[in-house]
Short mmCIF file of all heavy atoms in Angstrom, two decimals:
data_model
loop_
_atom_site.label_atom_id
_atom_site.label_comp_id
_atom_site.label_asym_id
_atom_site.label_seq_id
_atom_site.Cartn_x
_atom_site.Cartn_y
_atom_site.Cartn_z
N ARG A 356 61.53 146.27 62.66
CA ARG A 356 61.92 144.96 62.13
C ARG A 356 62.56 145.12 60.75
O ARG A 356 63.62 144.55 60.47
CB ARG A 356 60.70 144.04 62.04
CG ARG A 356 60.99 142.77 61.24
CD ARG A 356 59.81 141.83 61.15
NE ARG A 356 60.13 140.75 60.24
CZ ARG A 356 59.76 140.69 58.96
NH1 ARG A 356 59.03 141.67 58.43
NH2 ARG A 356 60.10 139.67 58.21
N ALA A 357 61.94 145.91 59.88
CA ALA A 357 62.42 146.08 58.50
C ALA A 357 63.84 146.67 58.51
O ALA A 357 64.68 146.27 57.72
CB ALA A 357 61.47 146.98 57.72
N ARG A 358 64.09 147.61 59.41
CA ARG A 358 65.43 148.21 59.47
C ARG A 358 66.47 147.20 59.94
O ARG A 358 67.62 147.21 59.48
CB ARG A 358 65.43 149.42 60.40
CG ARG A 358 64.75 150.59 59.72
CD ARG A 358 64.73 151.85 60.52
NE ARG A 358 63.80 152.76 59.85
CZ ARG A 358 63.69 154.05 60.10
NH1 ARG A 358 64.48 154.60 61.01
NH2 ARG A 358 62.82 154.79 59.46
N ALA A 359 66.07 146.33 60.85
CA ALA A 359 67.02 145.32 61.35
C ALA A 359 67.38 144.33 60.24
O ALA A 359 68.51 143.85 60.17
CB ALA A 359 66.41 144.58 62.54
N LEU A 360 66.42 144.04 59.36
CA LEU A 360 66.66 143.07 58.29
C LEU A 360 67.75 143.54 57.34
O LEU A 360 68.43 142.71 56.74
CB LEU A 360 65.36 142.81 57.50
CG LEU A 360 64.36 141.91 58.21
CD1 LEU A 360 63.05 141.86 57.43
CD2 LEU A 360 64.92 140.50 58.38
N VAL A 361 67.93 144.84 57.19
CA VAL A 361 68.97 145.32 56.29
C VAL A 361 70.28 145.62 57.03
O VAL A 361 71.23 146.11 56.46
CB VAL A 361 68.53 146.58 55.50
CG1 VAL A 361 67.31 146.25 54.64
CG2 VAL A 361 68.24 147.74 56.42
N MET A 362 70.30 145.33 58.34
CA MET A 362 71.53 145.53 59.12
C MET A 362 72.14 144.19 59.49
O MET A 362 71.48 143.18 59.52
CB MET A 362 71.22 146.25 60.44
CG MET A 362 70.94 147.71 60.30
SD MET A 362 70.40 148.34 61.87
CE MET A 362 71.88 148.17 62.83
N LYS A 363 73.42 144.22 59.87
CA LYS A 363 74.04 143.02 60.43
C LYS A 363 73.83 143.04 61.94
O LYS A 363 73.95 144.08 62.57
CB LYS A 363 75.54 143.04 60.14
CG LYS A 363 75.90 142.42 58.82
CD LYS A 363 77.37 142.14 58.81
CE LYS A 363 77.76 141.37 57.57
NZ LYS A 363 79.18 141.45 57.31
#
Side-chain angles (χ1 to χ4, degrees):
R356 169 179 173 262
R358 285 182 192 194
L360 284 173
V361 299
M362 285 173 67
K363 272 196 174 162

